[in-house]
Amino acid sequence: MIEKDFKIDFKNKKISLKPKGGGQDYSVRELYSFLMDLLDEPENMKYDVPIESTGKDDFALINGWTIDEKALKHLKGGTLKSAA
Amino acid sequence: MAAPTIVTDLTTVDTAESAIGWLNQANMNPTTDTDAFVEGTSSVGLAFAAANTRYSMIADLGGSTNITGTHIFVWVKVNFAICASFAEGGVRVVVTNDNTGNTTNYGEWAVGGRDIQWCQEGWRLIVVDTSRPFDFVGAGTPPSNMTSIRRIGVSALSSALQMTGNSLNVDVLRYGTKIAITGGTTGDPITLKELVDSDLDPASGVYGIVTKNKAGVFEINGELRIGAESGSTNTVFSSRNELITFADQPAALNYLKIKSQQGTGTTDVKFGTGVGSGDAKVGVNGSVIDRINVVHGREYSLDFSSSINLVEFFGTTVLRAKDGLTFPNATGHEAISSSFVACGQVDLGQALARKNTFSSHGFIDTGSVSIAVTAAAVDTGSITIDVTASTRTFTRTAGGSGSFLTDGFEVGMVVTFSGFTNANNNGRKRITSVTATTIVVEKGLVMVNETGTADERVRTEFAYTRSSGSFVTDGFIKDMSITPSGFSNSGNNRTRIITNVKATQIFTRELTGITAESAGTRTIRSAGATGDGALLWNESINIKSSSFVGISNSVVTAAAIQHPSAASSPYTYDALTFSGNDYDVNNTSTAIDTGSVTITVAASAGTLTRSSGSFSSDGFTAGMTITSSGFTNPGNNFETKTIDTITGGGTIITVTDNSSLVDETGGGDERVQRNITIQNVNDADPSTFKGQPVAFVTASNLLVRVKDTSSNPVEFAQTAIFLNDGTPLMNEDTDSNGEASESTTKSGGAYIRVRKSLTGFTKYIPFSTTGTISGDFTLDVTLQEDTNA
């Protein structure tokens, strides 16, 4: 379950690996779906969307969001770019 | 066609199938009458054998019986043309503790007379409250209470003899409290017509709780209960396109009503039919409900307050329900396209209420003023008066001085004549015409020509009198039912009908129990237990698109909507319009008020800091809406702001919106009060209030319509609007029409977001844009499907 491995820090706009996470790899698309599903909850509507789809299996972090190296290592399949 | 089942606790005293067991109290024995009856095959009757004579028929309870707290239900028919008038005691219901024809030990309640409408129309069910004080008593020992009654019956005072046939008939006689109707289904509901058709069959019960007059109007004669009080019986009652009136009965206050009840089954009460759905639904085929109470002055109520399955009011008009109308305090009920005219307070609970009209609510009220009960307020004193029996005329002798008009006599007054030699020229009579020298009285007891001897007198027995102010200006009028209060003598506080009203005097039709009492601070108010507001605002009310019109009285105190609580402020008035009301809102919520204290404003922090006392101790809490006053700077005297926090040991209020605030050091006369804030949307226009503070603010409608690229509405799309400072104005799912709506009183730059990426549903690319909220705001959004999510 991706939500058990990735931590979403809305305040600091940062995606990171949970301390006990990392037991499984995910596609970037799975991360995208997870974030989209998370961001349409009422309590998260005040936050900017962190990611956008730029093509099939191509995604980009936007609105100042970042992802740390440990988390990045567990993303396989697809591309994730920084909008900057 | 479903015939209702009648469920009742009434005890039948006598079915009047035979005169055996009935007694008279002298003058004429009752006989069995097979020609006139309403129930069974006969009634009990007697003929008037002479004029100016009391006749009675009394049935046996079978032993001393406690009838306290009950009503007596008895069918009566009288030959009104040979009966004395109501004021003289034409027709009465009689009770006695004796099991004999004792001629003096009785008490009686006046119920009719030749001038009373029902006496002129044949059989009538009379419903008498046994707690009423007697209007007449025998010379012996009348019952001192209702705990040991042995016989009940009917008596009458004749004005002529009848050669053949009966002058007075009595049929089935009962006492008790409850009559309920049950049965019916949604497809075949019980109705008033079916009730009347089945109940008034002589072979049936003939309880008569509902009758039908010659014009086809259904008359309710007491407390009509709908539904089972206990048990699993289901009931569906329907009334469509009917005229319903509550009859003028000598019943207890608050007894005339339709009351719903429900056991373990369900009870549905439906008036009219609904057409359409949602906010477009309208009501048609409704009934009209009213009352007549010009003699006994009883008001009625529609009491659907108990928790029942369904109450529907579609296209129904309720007139003069002075004791109010109450819906269950629950959702699922509806009141649509209905009118509530001159009613007491209407409490719609949480019913879906649309397109209703509330008008003419408001009681007539003296307020607390000095009022006395004055004996002989209008009085000739001892003068010479002649009687011309044939024309029922009392004449001040020719050449005499004085004038009945100058004395203050008027048509309609119940006056007392005394000093005449002939007994039947004396007593209470009602004036039908008056000139300076003559008074003519209504037909009744046979009078006798008489020449005055200077000791005759005409007077009113009692009048409510005031030394200042005006009953006329206050709005009191003839035939109005009034309830005085504050008098030491309880009889002076009884509800009665006005016969005549002058600036400083009110005269009533029923006089039993009135006693002279010196002036003191009292109140006279039009009858009916009514709150001070046409509509009671339930904290969970669901009302839109309704009008409040002409809610006014002559003392300019009537209000359209009463708010007894401020707990949920701010409130939204959605398309509620107001016109011609004394007050649109009456805020009767408990006052929370600092009084005049020293309060310092720090504008940038949005704080109000008091130098002594505690906002918390005064009752203020976070979330309350407040009004401030007494500040030097106008911006600090705001109509409404919301408390964000209370800190500093209760001494500091921080408001959620510091706009308009200016730094100011308190001077000692600043004040903060809790208010209720009314947000007006969709042209709602209340503007006046009384009671605790009310702030009216015009709100903006926010509407976001979401569709997909095929123009289909998108449901469950999370839709949010935030001001740029983060203040949320909307954050909700779209409905089945793809719409999300809210109202707000805030304005400014905003960002709008629509997102739907829910697992198991079509997912869309998030939408975001910016805008400015400065009034009504509508945004159409087209979402693109997200095939990557």
Side-chain angles (χ1 to χ4, degrees):
Chain A
M1 299 295 285
I2 193 168
E3 62 270 26
K4 293 183 177 177
D5 290 325
F6 285 85
K7 177 184 177 184
I8 311 301
D9 182 349
F10 287 102
K11 186 175 181 182
N12 297 305
K13 295 188 173 185
K14 186 175 181 179
I15 303 167
S16 58
L17 200 64
K18 290 184 177 178
K20 293 184 179 179
Q24 185 179 344
D25 292 340
Y26 300 92
S27 68
V28 179
R29 186 171 181 171
E30 286 176 309
L31 174 65
Y32 175 78
S33 294
F34 166 62
L35 291 172
M36 287 298 103
D37 200 3
L38 191 63
L39 265 293
D40 72 356
E41 295 300 320
E43 62 272 21
N44 296 331
M45 290 295 286
K46 59 188 173 187
Y47 300 115
D48 291 330
V49 173
I51 192 169
E52 68 178 2
S53 172
T54 56
K56 185 179 181 183
D57 297 325
D58 293 334
F59 303 90
L61 293 175
I62 58 175
N63 293 321
W65 280 74
T66 61
I67 183 167
D68 69 11
E69 285 299 319
K70 288 183 180 178
L72 201 53
K73 288 180 180 177
H74 286 276
L75 293 178
K76 308 294 184 183
T79 61
L80 180 62
K81 295 178 288 188
S82 168
Chain B
M1 300 290 283
T5 299
I6 292 180
V7 181
T8 178
D9 70 348
L10 264 57
T11 298
T12 299
V13 179
D14 199 301
T15 59
E17 289 303 291
S18 167
I20 296 173
W22 290 76
L23 294 178
N24 69 74
Q25 294 167 302
N27 298 324
M28 180 61 73
N29 282 320
T31 59
T32 304
D33 187 339
T34 57
D35 294 327
F37 58 89
V38 289
E39 185 270 346
T41 57
S42 60
S43 67
V44 171
L46 58 74
F48 296 160
N52 301 344
T53 304
R54 176 180 175 272
Y55 296 90
S56 68
M57 295 178 281
I58 51 176
D60 188 7
L61 283 159
S64 290
T65 303
N66 185 349
I67 63 170
T68 304
T70 69
H71 281 73
I72 294 170
F73 299 74
V74 58
W75 286 92
V76 183
K77 183 170 78 71
V78 65
N79 184 346
F80 78 97
I82 56 172
C83 177
S85 69
F86 179 78
E88 294 167 331
V91 183
R92 317 163 189 187
V93 169
V94 55
V95 291
T96 176
N97 290 341
D98 286 335
N99 189 28
T100 68
N102 183 290
T103 59
T104 59
N105 296 341
Y106 62 83
E108 296 174 307
W109 299 287
V111 299
R114 65 174 296 146
D115 54 316
I116 302 301
Q117 184 72 23
W118 72 262
C119 294
Q120 303 168 18
E121 296 182 346
W123 286 101
R124 161 71 172 246
L125 179 74
I126 299 298
V127 182
V128 188
D129 171 24
T130 58
S131 71
R132 292 173 68 92
F134 292 128
D135 296 299
F136 302 94
V137 292
T141 306
S144 58
N145 54 49
M146 293 293 118
T147 60
S148 302
I149 300 300
R150 180 59 195 255
R151 283 182 175 267
I152 303 173
V154 176
S155 63
L157 191 56
S158 68
S159 62
L161 68 84
Q162 183 169 335
M163 300 299 291
T164 61
N166 284 323
S167 312
L168 178 68
N169 287 77
V170 178
D171 210 335
V172 59
L173 190 162
R174 302 177 170 106
Y175 71 92
T177 60
K178 306 173 188 175
I179 301 178
I181 57 173
T182 65
T185 63
T186 300
D188 187 15
I190 58 174
T191 66
L192 295 179
K193 178 182 184 304
E194 287 155 1
L195 171 61
V196 169
D197 287 350
S198 59
D199 178 48
L200 298 189
D201 181 335
S204 189
V206 196
Y207 288 94
I209 185 66
V210 179
T211 51
K212 197 173 184 181
N213 71 16
K214 292 176 180 175
V217 177
F218 291 102
E219 298 177 321
I220 298 178
N221 291 298
E223 179 182 283
L224 172 63
R225 297 188 177 201
I226 299 174
E229 188 174 18
S230 60
S232 60
T233 301
N234 296 331
T235 297
V236 180
F237 168 85
S238 175
S239 174
R240 298 176 181 174
N241 298 314
E242 293 172 333
L243 293 176
I244 303 167
T245 186
F246 283 83
D248 194 2
Q249 293 280 7
L253 289 174
N254 308 316
Y255 188 67
L256 298 179
K257 64 167 72 80
I258 300 175
K259 175 184 175 71
S260 62
Q261 57 188 19
Q262 179 174 292
T264 57
T266 60
T267 298
D268 295 359
V269 178
K270 304 177 179 182
F271 289 87
T273 53
V275 178
S277 62
D279 285 351
K281 194 171 190 177
V282 297
V284 296
N285 296 319
S287 293
V288 177
I289 307 169
D290 197 1
R291 56 88 169 128
I292 294 172
N293 69 350
V294 295
V295 177
H296 303 293
R298 279 6 189 183
E299 304 292 358
Y300 77 96
S301 63
L302 302 175
D303 180 4
F304 307 124
S305 60
S306 63
S307 178
I308 68 169
N309 185 58
L310 180 66
V311 178
E312 291 179 342
F313 263 59
F314 293 130
T316 290
T317 298
V318 182
L319 300 164
R320 303 186 290 191
K322 296 291 186 185
D323 280 346
L325 182 154
T326 309
F327 270 49
N329 187 14
T331 59
H333 311 285
E334 294 184 89
I336 295 176
S337 306
S338 293
S339 296
F340 305 95
V341 183
C343 291
Q345 194 162 67
V346 175
D347 179 358
L348 296 176
Q350 303 173 43
L352 182 81
R354 302 287 185 271
K355 305 180 183 71
N356 298 305
T357 301
F358 302 80
S359 62
S360 302
H361 163 86
F363 39 72
I364 306 301
D365 189 358
T366 60
S368 294
V369 297
S370 179
I371 305 175
V373 174
T374 306
V378 176
D379 190 0
T380 59
S382 291
I383 61 173
T384 301
I385 301 175
D386 296 339
V387 174
T388 304
S390 60
T391 59
R392 305 184 68 79
T393 302
F394 294 83
T395 305
R396 293 173 100 120
T397 55
S401 61
S403 162
F404 289 129
L405 295 176
T406 303
D407 288 340
F409 292 97
E410 295 178 348
V411 170
M413 279 181 176
V414 177
V415 295
T416 299
F417 295 86
S418 60
F420 294 91
T421 301
N422 187 286
N424 290 320
N425 293 342
N426 294 320
R428 288 179 189 165
K429 302 179 188 298
R430 199 168 187 213
I431 298 173
T432 56
S433 70
V434 59
T435 68
T437 57
T438 63
I439 285 176
V440 178
V441 297
E442 65 190 354
K443 292 179 180 178
L445 294 172
V446 177
M447 294 163 55
V448 177
N449 289 339
E450 186 170 337
T451 300
T453 55
D455 59 351
E456 292 80 24
R457 181 184 180 189
V458 191
R459 61 185 169 86
T460 57
E461 291 189 35
F462 297 101
Y464 293 93
T465 60
R466 62 196 291 177
S467 55
S468 62
S470 168
F471 292 122
V472 175
T473 303
D474 285 344
F476 293 93
I477 60 172
K478 174 180 177 295
D479 290 337
M480 178 183 287
S481 182
I482 57 168
T483 302
S485 60
F487 289 92
S488 300
N489 185 293
S490 61
N492 294 337
N493 296 325
R494 288 187 62 201
T495 296
R496 302 168 196 274
I497 287 287
I498 295 175
T499 59
N500 302 80
V501 57
K502 303 180 179 186
T504 59
Q505 295 170 324
I506 281 178
F507 303 87
T508 63
R509 182 154 195 173
E510 292 178 306
L511 299 168
T512 299
I514 299 184
T515 303
E517 188 170 337
S518 58
T521 301
R522 282 102 187 204
T523 298
I524 297 179
R525 175 183 286 190
S526 53
T530 176
D532 195 1
L535 174 70
L536 182 70
W537 189 272
N538 184 297
E539 292 292 279
S540 300
I541 199 167
N542 181 6
I543 186 171
K544 292 181 182 177
S545 307
S546 294
S547 300
F548 298 81
V549 182
I551 297 166
S552 176
N553 59 30
S554 58
V555 286
V556 198
T557 58
I561 296 178
Q562 180 187 359
H563 282 261
S565 170
S568 301
S569 177
Y571 301 96
T572 298
Y573 280 14
D574 190 341
L576 303 184
T577 59
F578 298 78
S579 177
N581 308 314
D582 292 340
Y583 295 97
D584 298 333
V585 177
N586 179 17
N587 179 3
T588 57
S589 66
T590 303
I592 296 179
D593 188 350
T594 62
S596 292
V597 294
T598 300
I599 301 176
T600 294
V601 176
S604 61
T607 58
L608 309 176
T609 302
R610 59 194 291 175
S611 61
S612 61
S614 163
F615 289 115
S616 299
S617 297
D618 286 339
F620 292 94
T621 59
M624 278 185 181
T625 54
I626 56 174
T627 296
S628 68
S629 59
F631 291 92
T632 301
N633 192 299
N636 294 333
N637 296 321
F638 51 82
E639 279 194 72
T640 186
K641 289 186 183 293
T642 302
I643 298 175
D644 187 15
T645 60
I646 299 179
T647 56
T651 62
I652 303 172
I653 281 178
T654 304
V655 294
T656 59
D657 171 18
N658 66 349
S659 63
S660 87
L661 296 183
V662 176
D663 288 342
E664 180 175 341
T665 301
D669 55 358
E670 294 78 27
R671 182 179 186 185
V672 174
Q673 296 171 271
R674 177 174 68 166
N675 69 26
I676 63 171
T677 296
I678 307 296
Q679 297 180 346
N680 295 327
V681 300
N682 293 323
D683 300 322
D685 60 358
S687 59
T688 57
F689 73 92
K690 69 174 186 176
Q692 294 302 302
V694 177
F696 300 103
V697 294
T698 299
S700 303
N701 294 314
L702 308 177
L703 173 64
V704 179
R705 297 184 290 228
V706 182
K707 61 183 180 181
D708 61 19
T709 52
S710 299
S711 298
N712 296 314
V714 178
E715 188 178 11
F716 302 126
Q718 192 69 35
T719 304
I721 300 177
F722 295 90
L723 292 179
N724 290 338
D725 66 1
T727 303
L729 306 183
M730 173 192 291
N731 194 353
E732 62 198 47
D733 278 335
T734 52
D735 61 17
S736 60
N737 297 316
E739 295 181 351
S741 61
E742 278 293 346
S743 62
T744 183
T745 59
K746 301 183 186 310
S747 60
Y751 52 95
I752 304 99
R753 290 167 173 166
V754 182
R755 299 171 180 170
K756 182 178 180 183
S757 194
L758 188 62
T759 300
F761 292 83
T762 302
K763 300 185 178 185
Y764 297 91
I765 296 171
F767 173 89
S768 180
T769 190
T770 59
T772 301
I773 308 299
S774 59
D776 288 349
F777 178 85
T778 300
L779 178 67
D780 289 301
V781 174
T782 301
L783 292 181
Q784 307 283 333
E785 186 173 351
D786 186 351
T787 57
N788 286 327

